Amino acid sequence: MTSPVPPPSPEGPWLVADIGGTNARFGLVVEPGARPAAVAVLPGAGHVGLPDAVDAYLAGHAGGARPVAACLAVAGPVNADLYRLTNTGWSGSATALGIPHVELLNDFEALALALPHLEGADLASLGGPDPAPDMVKAVLGPGTGLGVAGLVPARSGWVPVPGEGGHVSAPAVTDLEIEVIRALRADGMSFVDAEHLLSGPGLVRLRHGLGLVDGVRVEPLAAPEIVARVDDTLCARTVDVFCGLLGSFAANVALTLGAHGGVYLGGGIVPRIVRRINDSDFRRRFEANLVLSGYLTGIATTAIVAEQPALTGAAAWLAQRVADRESTLTAPGAPRSPSPSPQARSTAK
């Protein structure tokens, strides 16, 4: 983490990774400006820790090349070169990887950094105008958890802003949503936050809560089954409630960050239900603010449907590090874009 970032080459590529609670996704950048290649997804359960997963990926996919730099996006707290994944037992120091230069990011920081590099088939509109360029952007994503981050334009590139927005209060608006939360609390949940409803486990809780409200005992289903059972009335209703809550939550994020550059939705669930989101109450709920509805009407909402976008963001961060250094060397005294705080950063995913 102390050495400068050298440019990538086939013999000395950049390693980029998105390390989640279930899977570890890896790729290689072999030339400046290239998107990650040799992408592979390794199950976390098959490895004892991050160094073991990195070694396994390099042995199977790098063709003998050794990375000269790496950027790893992890779903958990980051503090300098230390990491701890929220939903697994993996923790340690990036120095154990044996790579000359390693950058650690929170996973939603990396996803935010990918936004300026996504286009065309990488994205799907969820309503509103085209995203405004060169303005603050926001990204959120329901998956294993609910991640949130911002992206702010600077003199040279973009600055990611991580946060813990997934753990704000649940964005319940309708009588039914309030009844569901009351039912879940009566059933043993002392507190219900946004992530408790807007995530994979959240879909399971929502379906259970709707059953409680209806006085119906329901057999538990996993989130993928709930999404897939489009002809099941309770599953379809669960997804509809989920989309409405997601619209209100996305509006809260947009208002908090002033995200005139658009609100982008990623994670593991949204790409599977883009059409259902567009057919739902999502966009109406996004704009439904009695004081600032016009403000929200002018903000785009967009789904990220690209494969492994966090790898693109990790590569963009290393490229920006190279650009920052070259700018400093060629123009002594020129201001540099600020770097993320070395304080602990986390978003459960």
Side-chain angles (χ1 to χ4, degrees):
M1 204 173 271
T2 56
S3 62
V5 182
S9 68
E11 298 76 25
W14 289 345
L15 173 69
V16 291
D18 177 16
I19 313 297
T22 303
N23 294 311
R25 305 163 182 87
F26 295 97
L28 296 174
V29 178
V30 297
E31 62 182 39
R35 282 205 173 188
V39 173
V41 181
L42 306 184
H47 303 278
V48 296
L50 182 55
D52 181 53
V54 168
D55 288 344
Y57 169 77
L58 293 176
H61 301 275
R66 292 300 303 177
V68 294
C71 183
L72 311 180
V74 300
V78 171
N79 189 354
D81 68 336
L82 302 177
Y83 61 87
R84 177 176 59 82
L85 270 72
T86 302
N87 293 314
T88 72
W90 292 7
S91 62
S93 169
T95 58
L97 301 177
I99 298 172
H101 184 108
V102 181
E103 298 268 348
L104 293 178
L105 296 175
N106 170 261
D107 56 345
F108 267 76
E109 280 185 279
L111 191 54
L113 285 160
L115 298 181
H117 305 278
L118 301 177
E119 58 187 6
D122 297 330
L123 305 169
S125 175
L126 297 177
D130 292 336
D134 302 325
M135 300 191 77
V136 174
K137 304 176 186 293
V139 62
L140 59 97
T144 304
L146 178 60
V148 178
L151 191 68
V152 179
R155 284 192 179 95
S156 60
W158 295 85
V159 179
V161 182
E164 290 295 344
H167 295 288
V168 301
S169 299
V173 173
T174 68
D175 291 343
L176 176 60
E177 292 164 358
I178 293 169
E179 286 183 45
V180 167
I181 290 175
R182 285 175 176 163
L184 290 173
R185 292 182 66 180
D187 196 49
M189 291 187 69
S190 60
F191 175 71
V192 180
D193 67 18
E195 181 175 285
H196 288 142
L197 302 178
L198 292 173
S199 60
L203 278 166
V204 177
R205 292 188 188 97
L206 273 176
R207 181 174 174 274
H208 176 63
L210 287 167
L212 292 173
V213 169
D214 293 342
V216 176
R217 181 182 179 86
V218 297
E219 293 298 321
L221 289 177
E225 294 179 277
I226 294 171
V227 170
R229 294 193 180 188
V230 294
D231 296 327
D232 181 281
T233 300
L234 183 57
C235 289
R237 192 178 177 208
T238 299
V239 174
D240 284 342
V241 173
F242 179 91
C243 292
L245 288 164
L246 189 62
S248 291
F249 180 74
N252 290 341
V253 173
L255 291 167
T256 300
L257 294 176
H260 294 286
V263 176
Y264 294 79
L265 283 72
I269 297 173
V270 168
R272 304 180 187 181
I273 59 170
V274 170
R275 181 175 296 179
R276 296 173 75 177
I277 293 174
N278 275 320
D279 291 341
S280 76
D281 216 20
F282 168 82
R283 184 68 195 190
R284 189 195 68 79
R285 288 280 294 270
F286 180 82
E287 297 179 2
N289 184 292
L290 293 177
V291 178
L292 290 173
S293 61
Y295 183 101
L296 292 164
T297 301
I299 294 178
T301 46
T302 305
I304 301 170
V305 295
E307 294 287 336
Q308 318 302 354
L311 299 185
T312 299
W317 183 243
L318 289 175
Q320 187 165 314
R321 283 300 200 224
V322 172
D324 284 349
R325 182 168 182 269
E326 290 176 349
S327 176
T328 301
L329 292 174
T330 58
R336 298 176 64 187
S337 60
S339 301
S341 165
Q343 302 303 313
R345 299 169 291 188
S346 67
T347 297
K349 180 184 177 188

